[in-house]
Amino acid sequence: MITCEQCDTPQFLQITQSRVYFEDGEMINEISETYECTLCGATGQYIYDEDRDEETVTGDVTLTKERPKYA
């Protein structure tokens, strides 16, 4: 789950840009999403790279496997 670091909740995150890259026309190779928190204005980006099986986040968002403190 992607959560705003400043608000400790995913509730107010909005996807402002989303891209899906297809290298061979069939399989998804990369997913890129840009987020903005509508409560505090924080921004961040999530990227999933299929080739490396890796998820990364930058900016004011956090990737977690746990449930958020505030839902």
Side-chain angles (χ1 to χ4, degrees):
M1 177 169 294
I2 298 173
T3 304
C4 175
E5 285 183 349
Q6 296 179 22
C7 298
D8 266 345
T9 183
Q11 182 176 0
F12 301 103
L13 285 180
Q14 175 178 314
I15 297 174
T16 58
Q17 184 177 25
S18 181
R19 292 183 181 161
V20 179
Y21 298 98
F22 297 92
E23 188 173 296
D24 59 5
E26 294 182 18
M27 298 293 291
I28 295 174
N29 294 90
E30 185 178 297
I31 298 171
S32 171
E33 296 174 334
T34 303
Y35 290 87
E36 180 179 356
C37 180
T38 58
L39 183 63
C40 71
T43 59
Q45 186 174 37
Y46 165 83
I47 299 172
Y48 172 71
D49 187 341
E50 172 71 29
D51 295 333
R52 293 184 217 138
D53 193 27
E54 180 178 87
E55 295 175 296
T56 56
V57 292
T58 58
D60 298 318
V61 295
T62 303
L63 181 63
T64 179
K65 303 285 185 214
E66 300 173 10
R67 293 177 53 96
K69 282 186 200 175
Y70 310 105

